[in-house]
Amino acid sequence: MSNMLEEIIKEMNENYNEKKAKGNYKFFQTHPGGYGEGDEFLGLTVPIQRKIAKKYKNLPLEDVEKLLQSKYHEHRLTALYILILNFKKLKEEVIDVYLRNLDIVNNWDLVDSSAPYLLGPYLEDKDRSILYELAKSDNLWKQRIAIITTLYFIKNNDFEDALKISEMLLNHKHDLIHKAVGWMLREIGKRDKKVEEEFLKKYYKNMPRTMLRYAIEKFPEEERQKILKGTW
């Protein structure tokens, strides 16, 4: 372990917050059978993690990868922040580290804090078949990575992949996918409501309720009620 890696781990561990850590065990559902089962926490706030990531942004990528493989959730999230800080200058190397370690990008905040800022811009001018492979996997987090990555494209008014992957995930059983798909549809609607409406009119009567509620959150109340009642 390099001196710099020892330093960042020491600094993070010194910020241990027992009360917040206990809250995180419940919030991220680490109980047996929960989506975050077995995860461990130090209780660091996101601002502290971002500050530490910025301080250690020159941590060698091999050490960033070691930090990403830590059992502690905050170590992994901070490692992802460091990867993002290095993306522009070390694009290929950063993505290699990210893709090698997708199995441990294993909670919704880790996915949401990284996929649109790493995989999204990386795939902007490349073949995007990896997203469809991830969407077809049987891994909840890889499926969430697939749909959340499209946020980057949506922000650039490119909706095609988001709509196709949303369609693939319509019958998913987990509410974390329902929320993610609904969120992406809502983001599309912010930019082009007609596109979102065309998608919803095909599927709204059969969509999971949580997905639908997320998708139409910004619709006028009268329209929302018609959709929810199935009389749109």
Side-chain angles (χ1 to χ4, degrees):
M1 185 184 296
S2 71
N3 289 340
M4 190 179 290
L5 182 57
E6 286 182 356
E7 287 172 16
I8 188 171
I9 289 173
K10 181 173 182 288
E11 185 164 343
M12 294 188 76
N13 292 351
E14 285 173 351
N15 279 278
Y16 173 71
N17 182 322
E18 183 178 5
K19 183 178 179 181
K20 188 164 178 59
K22 285 182 178 178
N24 283 342
Y25 284 110
K26 182 176 181 181
F27 184 69
F28 288 104
Q29 297 192 24
T30 62
H31 58 273
Y35 62 71
E37 181 177 357
D39 209 351
E40 296 194 34
F41 291 86
L42 294 168
L44 276 68
T45 64
V46 167
I48 286 175
Q49 291 174 79
R50 288 190 180 278
K51 184 177 179 180
I52 290 173
K54 191 172 182 181
K55 179 178 177 180
Y56 292 94
K57 66 180 181 180
N58 294 321
L59 184 70
L61 286 184
E62 61 183 23
D63 287 337
V64 179
E65 187 165 12
K66 289 175 184 175
L67 190 64
L68 186 56
Q69 294 168 351
S70 170
K71 67 178 182 178
Y72 290 111
H73 188 102
E74 292 89 347
H75 287 178
R76 301 199 301 282
L77 182 55
T78 301
L80 292 170
Y81 288 149
I82 295 173
L83 289 180
I84 292 166
L85 290 171
N86 284 279
F87 177 75
K88 286 186 178 179
K89 67 177 181 179
L90 297 169
K91 187 180 292 187
E92 296 292 338
E93 295 94 327
V94 162
I95 289 298
D96 283 347
V97 171
Y98 189 63
L99 292 179
R100 269 201 306 274
N101 291 280
L102 280 189
D103 286 340
I104 45 181
V105 183
N106 58 355
N107 215 312
W108 59 264
D109 64 323
L110 302 178
V111 171
D112 298 1
S113 297
S114 61
Y117 309 104
L118 292 172
L119 209 47
Y122 181 72
L123 294 175
E124 183 173 21
D125 57 354
K126 294 178 178 63
D127 176 81
R128 299 174 186 175
S129 58
I130 185 174
L131 297 182
Y132 296 87
E133 293 169 18
L134 293 171
K136 289 176 186 174
S137 78
D138 57 2
N139 181 284
L140 170 67
W141 305 118
K142 289 180 179 178
Q143 291 169 321
R144 188 167 171 112
I145 287 168
I147 186 62
I148 296 295
T149 294
T150 69
L151 179 60
Y152 180 84
F153 311 141
I154 293 168
K155 288 181 176 179
N156 289 288
N157 295 307
D158 176 359
F159 310 136
E160 182 179 357
D161 295 294
L163 293 170
K164 287 180 178 178
I165 294 170
S166 292
E167 191 172 17
M168 291 172 66
L169 296 173
L170 276 176
N171 297 313
H172 202 283
K173 294 181 179 179
H174 205 290
D175 73 335
L176 283 174
I177 297 298
H178 302 169
K179 291 174 181 178
V181 171
W183 173 20
M184 293 306 103
L185 293 173
R186 186 175 73 235
E187 290 296 327
I188 290 171
K190 286 181 185 177
R191 293 157 179 85
D192 192 328
K193 193 179 179 202
K194 184 179 178 182
V195 171
E196 183 186 5
E197 286 179 338
E198 286 175 356
F199 184 91
L200 290 176
K201 282 178 179 177
K202 281 187 188 177
Y203 301 113
Y204 83 99
K205 289 186 177 180
N206 299 310
M207 288 171 69
R209 205 67 169 173
T210 298
M211 185 185 295
L212 182 58
R213 287 186 178 279
Y214 268 61
I216 63 173
E217 188 178 279
K218 301 296 182 181
F219 281 32
E221 184 60 23
E222 185 177 347
E223 190 175 9
R224 282 184 70 256
Q225 290 307 318
K226 283 183 179 180
I227 295 170
L228 292 171
K229 290 173 184 175
T231 59
W232 193 27

